[in-house]
Amino acid sequence: MALNPVLGKLVSKRVVLASASPRRQEILTNVGLRFEVVPSWFKETLEKSSFAAPYEYAVETAKQKALEVANRMHVKHLRTPDIVIGADTIVSVDEQILEKPVDKQDAYRMLSRLSGKEHSVFTGVAIIHCSSKGNQLETEITDFYEETKVKFSDLSEELLWEYIHSGEPMDKAGGYGIQALGGMLVEYVHGDFLNVVGFPLNHFCKKLAELYYPPPKHTVQHIKHDSIPSVDTFENLSDGESESSNFTEHKGAKKLNSSSMCPSRPVYNCENSSSVRTDSMVPLGNQNGASESAAKLPSKIVDLMDGFKASKALFVASKLKVFDYLKTKGPLKAVDVANEVGTSVCGTERLLDACVALGLLEKTSQGYSNTDSANTYLTSDGEYSLHGYIIHSNDHLWPLFTNLESAVREGSRQNHRAFGRKAEDLFKDYYHSQEVKQRFMAAMHSIAHLTARDVATAFDLSQFKSTCDLGGCTGALAHELIQIYPNMKVTVFDLPEVIANISYFQPSEQCAAPVTFLSGDFFKDNLPEADLYILSRILHDWPDERIHVLLSKISAVCKPGSALLVAEIVLDEQKTHPARAVLQSLSMTEGKQRSGSEYKQLLEKYGFTDVQIKITGTLLDAVLCFKKNLSP
Ligand SMILES: C[S@@+](CC[C@H](N)C(=O)[O-])C[C@H]1O[C@@H](n2cnc3c(N)ncnc32)[C@H](O)[C@@H]1O
């Protein structure tokens, strides 16, 4: 895990880097940040002369790059990220801004201006927190810049041209790369070296610390702003702790909608060479001048202690279809909800108030109504309904997790304790009754529908003409693939008892090329021919012997050049994050979650090469690999 615990705050978020720079990607990857790369289409054409100082230009460009990506993901890809990071590096010498050279002559012009002189490298960084209200994208922007002074030696014409002919200057601000050959031109560096490479990591971490651990007012003077707080320091800070809600619930926080794409000049509150909107920096707990308390409040631990109550409140409200009633009939008073769902008035009122406290409902004088996210995710017909998974969590996972202590003691699944029977395998257990099977299928469908676009677009799959989704269940991913790749023929292969029950889950609108459903057992039966095989959320469920059978069969049927796409949550190399995957492991299936290098090793063992891993930052990551060519 990253040394800086603030980065841990980003683990559960969809973080996007709006930059194609491999150097920025490397800097952030090296410290363990998980993020998706979506290069910005924003053209670096802002009028430089309209900025009073070079750094203002870099900050504004960084901001516009990040906003373009946030807006595009929200509108075009229907995937609103949690955080978009934009950066722009420029070199400034004699009050002139140098960006990337357009050709060798331009590189010569830049480098000869830098020869024998000190210049400044500025990187502007924008951290944009995004949320979606209705169809509107809302953003909260934090931006800052870092300056590093660099002095070049006197460069001879010969050295200069030799460097230009190396090709290195062409994609770099100021026409040099300090981390490679360009390092030989440099006499000294004053300031953050990584800033010159392209990303001021230290300042970025400090900014995150300010955002996620804002100092309480009464201790402001004691906090060293020029250091990244240690874990100890964090404990001394009062943190609003609730990870994502810090940014959505600050009373004073200024929301900007997507119209802020227009490059208007912001009003900055400049402090220590950074500009941050101070209104989003006020910690919730301190806004009303809460009195000093001698004991530190371990907010995270308190949240964990109460977490099960929150989960159960969500489950019960979902099971009672409270969100469905409020969607069609709200706002409703507690007594009306109680009448609709057939529950006690006092119990219903408590449940509804708890849902308000959890941010799932709103309460006004007219009664209770759904929040936008309740309409989208919690109603059973919501666009991205998680209702199926929530009911599965309540009816299946909850009883299993109440036996967690025994599971840990014994190292085995607890179905016999939770449900009074021990099935041969996971799916024999799910499919023993029609009711449980349909509940499980609805659960799989809700997550698959929510993640399908991320999985389908993690790699460009347009080269594949035929695809077989093994264990593809209701076909949610298959339908998305056909939408994105209209020339692709997709077959879903699943057990007969699943295929017999898929009709309820099919989209109402007709597709040009319908999905084919084929029943069979992927451990025993012949697999259909395809250019691309998919295993989405399959491998983590099975023990090694079964995986051996399955991957051997796929490898045997795969022609050279065909591919296998695995969709799973990929663990970090320490195998402790993301938490969702590690917590899922506690249900003790015979399978296991794997890290990126473990997937690579596993797939290579079965003759797959060129293993590429895409950490999407969402609920599922993707691994693509190709069947080895037979030629030596
Ligand atoms: C965890 S679910 C994943 C479903 C889907 N791929 C997704 O990502 O939502 C596992 C799927 O594998 C299917 N499955 C389990 N054993 C199978 C077998 N022996 N042959 C074919 N499909 C199987 C199950 O019916 C189920 O649909």
Side-chain angles (χ1 to χ4, degrees), residues 535-540 566-570 593 599 620-622:
L535 290 173
S536 171
R537 297 194 288 162
I538 304 293
L539 293 179
H540 74 263
V566 172
E568 292 282 356
I569 313 174
V570 176
Q593 309 281 350
Y599 276 116
L620 276 183
D621 303 315

Side-chain angles (χ1 to χ4, degrees), residues 427 431 440 444 448 469-473 493-495 498 520-523 536-538 541-542:
F427 296 93
Y431 300 160
F440 176 73
M444 292 304 102
D469 187 2
L470 295 164
C473 205
F493 185 89
D494 210 303
L495 293 167
V498 169
D521 181 330
F522 52 44
F523 293 122
S536 171
R537 297 194 288 162
I538 304 293
D541 274 337
W542 298 101

Side-chain angles (χ1 to χ4, degrees), residues 610-626:
D610 193 14
V611 180
Q612 301 160 42
I613 298 173
K614 180 85 186 262
I615 303 297
T616 65
T618 65
L619 290 185
L620 276 183
D621 303 315
V623 182
L624 183 68
C625 55
F626 291 82

